[in-house]
Amino acid sequence: MANLEETCTTMLLSDDPVDEDGFGGHQRLAGSIFNMISKEKVGKSIAIRGSWGSGKSTIIKLIRKLAGESQESNIKVIVFDAWEHEGDSLRRTFLEFLLSALDDVKWIKATDWETLKQNLSRKRNSKKLHQYHSFLKVGSIWLVLL
């Protein structure tokens, strides 16, 4: 009888995004998205939605590659992984991430946005005080009597 290990070899496939698309569908979609955003005059936010393992990360990786290879492109691909920040304040975490990413690609100066970053991270407290004028009971009675 043959050894089970010799007759049934187990192969596990990697779930990592690939650099090249073996079938071409992801490459075509990445090329279409890149062409669309290349022709736009203003910035765009694009969401790529799909089920687990459908190739979203591969498409993003291919778009990044196209943006890096293009000589006339001023496109920067910034990827925010919402799952990584599950449980955090999503809006605050996203804005902090975006400011940091824009500073990394030299589109903004972090020092210009330091106050906003501190406000977002709650490292800087700001309080608004309201002062209301009111009379004491004795003063109110005295005022009525006058």
Side-chain angles (χ1 to χ4, degrees):
M1 185 191 274
N3 187 350
L4 184 60
E5 291 178 13
E6 293 174 9
T7 59
C8 182
T9 306
T10 303
M11 282 185 59
L12 299 176
L13 300 176
S14 171
D15 189 36
D16 294 331
V18 296
D19 292 324
E20 294 188 23
D21 185 8
F23 298 107
H26 292 97
Q27 186 67 48
R28 285 191 301 275
L29 181 57
S32 295
I33 293 172
F34 180 75
N35 288 334
M36 178 186 66
I37 58 180
S38 295
K39 293 175 184 172
E40 290 292 323
K41 303 294 182 208
V42 295
K44 294 287 179 197
S45 296
I46 297 174
I48 299 175
R49 296 180 52 182
S51 60
W52 181 82
S54 62
K56 301 175 298 293
S57 297
T58 295
I59 292 169
I60 291 170
K61 196 169 188 178
L62 293 170
I63 293 171
R64 270 191 170 148
K65 184 177 177 183
L66 290 169
E69 292 172 352
S70 176
Q71 297 299 323
E72 69 245 14
S73 172
N74 193 22
I75 295 171
K76 304 296 183 211
V77 179
I78 299 171
V79 179
F80 176 75
D81 185 358
W83 289 109
E84 188 177 309
H85 302 285
E86 188 177 10
D88 296 338
S89 168
L90 187 59
R91 181 180 297 152
R92 185 189 75 229
T93 305
F94 173 73
L95 290 173
E96 287 175 342
F97 173 84
L98 183 61
L99 287 172
S100 178
L102 293 175
D103 180 45
D104 289 347
V105 296
K106 308 295 185 230
W107 280 11
I108 65 168
K109 291 181 183 176
T111 54
D112 295 344
W113 295 87
E114 195 58 41
T115 301
L116 177 60
K117 284 175 66 174
Q118 287 178 359
N119 286 343
L120 288 171
S121 64
R122 304 203 192 282
K123 291 180 182 170
R124 181 174 172 254
N125 294 328
S126 62
K127 294 181 181 179
K128 203 173 207 180
L129 297 176
H130 297 282
Q131 187 174 13
Y132 299 100
H133 298 286
S134 61
F135 295 107
L136 297 173
K137 285 184 183 180
V138 176
S140 299
I141 294 171
W142 182 254
L143 187 64
V144 171
L145 292 176
L146 288 177

